[in-house]
């Protein structure tokens, strides 16, 4: 392969054109949507009279390699906007015509926003650039490699449905995803990583372990937790409840629906309406499903009078919220329409804001390290000060809030990056980013410093001199939503949860039918056990199925149950169990009370974390 020094994005986008050229050769009537480069390769959206199948991918890949070997040149052509529209219309490329008209009427920014492809047009309308590769012509501002021999190594991975411009009302195209790297070694490393990622997919593991379900009768993006999955949900909430209690938080509960007036007051309807559900009319009043808990918490704070001595006030809630998400963007538990937030709001004096935000960051880090997550960093999202129509227009307020946040982040010692234009409408925000064991990056939680709520809700405290002074509000959710965080943990552990988080912690397996009575007594002892007068409540089952013992052990291993307790004549006689551990194999025979103490220690201390493989 050529070693010409082209940026990887240029190679990948050129490879996307090469794939389109191959498809055009094989299916001359193909119509094309957009085909941008991605972080690992590229994709292209296409429409054919007969849909493609995965069996077609090797044929397309073979044709691409033939074109690569021929070193087809990438030629750039320029046309006026009307000429470009006529040209694409004659070619029968309806989607390209639509893009050109969008460019003409709304500009290149609209194309990038609606399609996710920033390569389809330039800045002005005087000249629209096209690139020709063999018989394939595409509108594109480039740049590209010189010829097809320079695109590098590629592999077509999958075919998925994709609504044109991300709207379910539009035509559904087929999106071909591909990998693209400079060398075969880089390509193979990514193939291996994706294979491991597929094994860990939370949707696959969730189905195998019976953790959650999504059904059409309930609605897209509205997950239901099954009994096993609800254990994980409960344990995460218990962890947060204990942690927040020790940190001085007070728990509250608020309604799922609220009058529209409250959301006008909070600014959600003016700035956030497209992410909210349509109003519900009750007694000629508009009510909304809540997209966030903050307005309710503000009303709780405003219910009382607060002195400077009372602050900070920290209110927490596991609040269910609902946000509209386009159907094409829904993805298992990672992206849903209804979810429960690990939410809290801190009301503090300006002189307390930095230290309170610093404590929030440390809480995040403590959670992540508990779960064995070491690779995390922060993304500080700034406002676009030249485009304040998306944000509260208060330049001085933004400047002060950013100063507080940056000071806290610098003192924390945790790495962070700054990103412009992604702030919340009411203040700068900090996203905590984590990397999974297979290298996938997630925005796992979001936190904001809000300087506008006090004005909208008159959130004040009585200062030492008797005057009323505004508070700062910190919005924080260290574990984000239960749904997204649980999805991450399912993939992080590949379903092999630590003992304290496992839906079933132990299963008692009798060797023969005559041992079932003793097995049941062991189960009851564990289930109702107490350590130091505290109910341990070990989550334990018995397996009385008509199967051989080894099959029962394999079944428990497949369910990722930490402890398998085999009982026979000797165990029944001595009040013992033969213990096999999911990760450590045979441990040996133990007294039942010793096993209870071991599991109780793991459960209360949240120890015995399995290392992600």
């Amino acid at each position: 392969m050529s070693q010409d020094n082209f940026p990887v994005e240029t190679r990948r986008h050129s490879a996307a054109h090469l794939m389109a050229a191959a498809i055009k050769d094989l299916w001359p009537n193909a119509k094309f949507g957009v085909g941008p480069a991605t972080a690992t390769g590229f994709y292209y959206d296409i429409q054919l009279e007969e849909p493609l199948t995965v069996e077609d991918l090797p044929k397309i890949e073979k044709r691409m390699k033939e074109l690569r070997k021929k070193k087809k040149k990438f030629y750039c052509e320029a046309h006026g906007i009307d000429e470009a529209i006529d040209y694409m219309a004659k070619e029968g490329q309806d989607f390209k015509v639509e893009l050109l008209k969008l460019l003409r009427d709304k500009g290149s920014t609209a194309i990038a926003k609606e399609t996710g492809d920033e390569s389809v047009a330039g800045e002005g309308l005087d000249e629209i650039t096209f690139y020709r590769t063999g018989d394939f012509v595409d509108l594109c501002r480039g740049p590209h490699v010189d010829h097809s021999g320079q695109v590098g190594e590629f592999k077509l991975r999958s075919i998925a449905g994709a609504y044109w411009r991300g709207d379910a009302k539009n035509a559904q195209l087929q999106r071909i995803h591909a990998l693209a790297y400079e060398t075969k070694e880089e390509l193979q490393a990514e193939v291996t990583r994706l294979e491991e990622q597929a094994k860990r997919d939370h949707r696959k593991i969730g189905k195998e372990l019976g953790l959650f379900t999504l059904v059409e009768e309930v609605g897209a993006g509205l997950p239901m937790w099954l009994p096993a999955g609800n254990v994980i949900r409960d344990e995460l909430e218990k962890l947060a409840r204990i942690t927040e209690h020790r940190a001085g938080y007070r728990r509250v509960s608020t309604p799922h629906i609220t009058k529209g007036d409250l959301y006008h007051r909070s600014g959600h309807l003016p700035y956030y309406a497209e992410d909210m559900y349509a109003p519900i009319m009750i007694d000629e009043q508009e009510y909304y499903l809540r997209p966030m808990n903050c307005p309710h918490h503000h009303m709780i704070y405003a219910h009382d009078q607060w002195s400077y001595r009372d602050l900070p006030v920290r209110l927490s809630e596991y609040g269910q919220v609902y946000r509209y998400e386009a159907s094409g963007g829904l993805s298992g538990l990672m992206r849903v329409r209804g979810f429960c937030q690990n939410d809290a709001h801190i009301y503090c004096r300006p002189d307390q804001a930095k230290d309170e935000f610093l404590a929030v960051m440390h809480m995040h880090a403590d959670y992540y390290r508990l779960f064995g997550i070491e690779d995390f960093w922060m993304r500080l999202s700034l406002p676009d000060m030249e485009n304040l129509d998306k944000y509260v227009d208060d330049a001085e307020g933004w400047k002060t809030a950013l100063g507080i946040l940056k000071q806290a982040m610098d003192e924390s010692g945790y790495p962070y990056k700054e990103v412009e234009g992604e702030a919340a409408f009411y203040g700068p925000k900090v996203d905590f980013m984590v990397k999974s064991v297979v290298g996938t990056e997630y925005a796992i939680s979001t936190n904001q410093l809000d300087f506008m709520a006090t004005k909208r809700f008159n959130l004040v405290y009585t200062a030492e001199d008797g005057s009323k002074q505004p508070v700062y509000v910190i919005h924080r959710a260290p574990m984000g939503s239960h749904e997204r965080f649980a999805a991450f943990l399912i993939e992080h552990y590949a379903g092999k949860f630590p003992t304290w988080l496992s839906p079933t912690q132990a299963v008692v397996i009798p060797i023969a039918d005559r041992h079932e009575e003793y097995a049941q007594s062991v189960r009851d002892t564990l289930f109702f056990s107490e350590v130091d007068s505290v109910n341990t409540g070990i989550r334990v089952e018995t397996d009385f199925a008509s199967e051989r013992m080894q099959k029962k052990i394999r079944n428990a291993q497949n369910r990722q149950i930490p402890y398998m307790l085999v009982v026979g004549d000797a165990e029944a006689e001595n009040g013992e169990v033969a213990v096999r551990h999911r990760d450590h194999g045979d441990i040996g025979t133990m007294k039942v009370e010793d096993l209870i103490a071991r599991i109780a220690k793991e459960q209360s201390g949240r120890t015995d974390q399995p290392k992600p493989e």
Side-chain angles (χ1 to χ4, degrees):
M1 294 301 298
S2 170
Q3 296 301 311
D4 297 274
N5 190 28
F6 292 103
V8 65
E9 293 82 6
T10 301
R11 292 180 187 272
R12 286 170 174 164
H13 188 57
S14 299
H17 277 234
L18 185 65
M19 183 178 74
I23 292 171
K24 184 72 172 173
D25 280 356
L26 296 168
W27 293 277
N29 294 325
K31 295 183 179 182
F32 298 91
V34 295
T38 66
T40 58
F42 60 89
Y43 69 79
Y44 220 118
D45 293 344
I46 62 171
Q47 185 183 67
L48 296 173
E49 294 176 359
E50 293 293 329
L52 294 173
T53 67
V54 290
E55 286 74 23
D56 292 311
L57 296 185
K59 180 165 60 175
I60 298 170
E61 196 171 297
K62 179 182 178 182
R63 184 60 180 142
M64 288 176 68
K65 291 177 179 178
E66 291 170 353
L67 294 174
R68 181 178 66 184
K69 189 175 182 180
K70 291 179 180 181
K71 298 184 177 181
K72 292 282 186 178
K73 293 283 187 182
F74 282 83
Y75 294 102
C76 182
E77 306 171 2
H79 302 276
I81 185 72
D82 292 329
E83 181 186 358
I85 291 173
D86 290 341
Y87 179 80
M88 280 297 176
K90 290 177 183 176
E91 290 287 310
Q93 295 296 331
D94 303 339
F95 304 114
K96 301 296 183 181
V97 170
E98 190 173 332
L99 287 180
L100 286 164
K101 290 181 178 179
L102 182 64
L103 173 65
R104 180 189 63 191
D105 299 337
K106 296 186 178 180
S108 58
T109 301
I111 292 184
K113 181 178 179 181
E114 293 199 29
T115 66
D117 188 354
E118 298 180 356
S119 66
V120 293
E123 296 301 322
L125 298 179
D126 293 337
E127 287 189 336
I128 304 300
T129 56
F130 287 74
Y131 277 83
R132 182 181 297 275
T133 316
D135 294 331
F136 175 70
V137 181
D138 199 1
L139 67 146
C140 180
R141 65 182 172 193
H144 284 280
V145 297
D146 297 329
H147 59 77
S148 60
Q150 298 166 323
V151 298
E153 300 294 330
F154 48 79
K155 182 177 182 60
L156 307 192
R157 288 284 296 174
S158 63
I159 303 174
Y163 290 111
W164 173 234
R165 292 168 61 180
D167 191 336
K169 297 177 182 177
N170 291 337
Q172 187 173 47
L173 310 184
Q174 287 189 287
R175 177 169 293 176
I176 301 180
H177 290 272
L179 303 176
Y181 286 87
E182 185 173 345
T183 67
K184 290 181 179 179
E185 292 75 15
E186 290 175 306
L187 180 63
Q188 184 54 49
E190 180 61 15
V191 170
T192 301
R193 188 189 73 82
L194 289 174
E195 288 173 350
E196 179 63 21
Q197 185 181 60
K199 293 178 186 176
R200 292 172 176 268
D201 190 309
H202 76 279
R203 292 164 294 190
K204 171 179 174 290
I205 294 174
K207 184 175 182 179
E208 292 171 350
L209 299 183
L211 301 179
F212 66 92
T213 185
L214 290 145
V215 296
E216 181 60 33
E217 290 84 353
V218 172
L222 299 172
M224 294 186 293
W225 292 93
L226 302 176
N230 211 64
V231 170
I232 298 171
R233 179 187 173 105
D234 286 346
E235 287 295 330
L236 291 176
E237 183 172 353
K238 184 191 299 182
L239 169 64
R241 188 169 62 246
I242 293 169
T243 302
E244 291 169 358
H245 174 73
R246 290 171 178 167
Y249 286 80
R250 310 178 195 186
R251 285 173 65 84
V252 297
S253 297
T254 58
H256 289 219
I257 63 172
T258 298
K259 286 184 177 180
D261 291 346
L262 186 68
Y263 289 128
H264 278 289
R265 184 176 178 183
S266 68
H268 285 93
L269 280 173
Y271 294 101
Y272 200 75
E274 64 183 24
D275 296 302
M276 296 173 63
Y277 277 95
I280 305 165
M281 296 301 297
I282 302 175
D283 296 334
E284 300 182 357
Q285 290 266 2
E286 286 188 346
Y287 284 75
Y288 287 83
L289 287 169
R290 65 178 178 187
M292 295 180 181
N293 305 305
C294 35
H296 303 76
H297 290 193
H298 299 339
M299 299 303 292
I300 289 176
Y301 177 85
H303 178 264
D304 290 306
Q305 300 293 317
W306 303 97
S307 161
Y308 69 95
R309 294 189 183 90
D310 300 319
L311 302 185
V313 172
R314 307 179 186 99
L315 303 178
S316 65
E317 177 179 13
Y318 273 73
Q320 187 77 18
V321 296
Y322 306 88
R323 300 178 189 173
Y324 174 73
E325 184 78 41
S327 56
L330 298 174
S331 177
L333 296 179
M334 282 292 182
R335 195 171 290 275
V336 294
R337 289 173 173 169
F339 54 93
C340 193
Q341 279 190 310
N342 165 221
D343 208 359
H345 296 87
I346 302 170
Y347 302 85
C348 60
R349 304 190 308 263
D351 63 291
Q352 297 171 322
K354 185 262 291 182
D355 288 339
E356 286 297 310
F357 208 91
L358 189 58
V360 165
M361 288 187 283
H362 289 322
M363 183 181 285
H364 279 73
D366 289 344
Y367 280 138
Y368 300 156
R369 287 167 179 157
L370 172 64
F371 293 107
I373 303 167
E374 295 293 340
D375 196 348
F376 63 88
W377 67 100
M378 296 176 287
R379 183 176 63 194
L380 174 59
S381 297
L382 311 173
D384 179 358
M385 299 306 290
E386 303 299 320
N387 184 27
L388 282 178
D389 60 313
K390 291 169 53 181
Y391 314 99
V392 172
D393 191 357
D394 183 349
E396 190 60 35
W398 282 102
K399 181 179 178 181
T400 303
L402 284 169
I404 292 171
L405 276 193
K406 287 187 178 182
Q407 185 181 0
M409 295 172 76
D410 288 337
E411 285 189 24
S412 75
Y414 306 130
Y416 73 91
K417 303 173 184 177
E418 296 184 10
V419 181
E420 188 173 288
E422 296 185 11
F425 68 82
Y426 46 75
K429 70 174 182 174
V430 176
D431 291 308
F432 268 78
M433 310 295 295
V434 297
K435 184 176 287 187
S436 73
V437 292
V438 292
T440 306
E441 293 181 1
Y442 296 93
I444 209 71
S445 69
T446 300
N447 312 273
Q448 296 101 22
L449 183 59
D450 186 348
F451 57 89
M452 283 305 299
T454 187
K455 298 178 181 178
R456 293 177 179 272
F457 288 88
N458 191 32
L459 304 177
V460 297
Y461 67 95
T462 303
E464 194 169 3
D465 63 2
S467 63
K468 298 295 185 182
Q469 297 296 325
V471 298
Y472 266 108
V473 181
I474 296 172
H475 305 243
R476 47 110 287 185
M479 287 193 284
S481 78
H482 267 311
E483 286 69 16
R484 187 172 180 81
F485 198 73
F488 174 82
L489 291 180
I490 292 168
E491 297 183 357
H492 179 66
Y493 290 122
K496 189 187 290 187
F497 300 104
T499 302
W500 70 272
L501 199 54
S502 293
T504 301
Q505 297 169 317
V507 59
V508 187
I509 301 172
I511 293 176
D513 292 349
R514 66 180 181 275
H515 305 125
E516 288 185 359
E517 183 178 349
Y518 177 65
Q520 185 64 40
S521 71
V522 170
R523 180 265 175 201
D524 292 345
T525 301
L526 267 62
F527 186 82
F528 295 105
S529 59
E530 290 186 356
V531 175
D532 296 330
S533 300
V534 176
N535 180 265
T536 309
I538 294 171
R539 297 186 290 275
V540 58
E541 299 175 1
T542 51
D543 189 343
F544 292 158
S546 300
E547 295 175 330
R548 297 180 63 186
M549 181 187 71
Q550 291 301 326
K551 176 67 181 303
K552 294 179 182 181
I553 290 174
R554 283 197 301 273
N555 290 342
Q557 196 80 39
N558 290 336
R559 291 176 60 197
Q560 303 293 0
I561 297 173
Y563 286 93
M564 288 147 273
L565 314 176
V566 179
V567 295
D569 291 335
E571 289 78 19
E573 182 177 344
N574 299 317
E576 297 175 335
V577 289
V579 182
R580 179 179 178 82
H581 193 275
R582 174 193 62 196
D583 303 319
H584 311 305
D586 289 324
I587 293 176
T589 302
M590 299 177 66
K591 290 289 186 182
V592 173
E593 57 266 29
D594 293 337
L595 175 65
I596 290 171
R598 175 183 174 127
I599 295 177
K601 182 178 179 181
E602 292 178 11
Q603 185 161 297
S604 62
R606 296 182 174 85
T607 56
D608 193 42
Q609 297 278 17
K611 295 294 183 183
E613 298 175 352

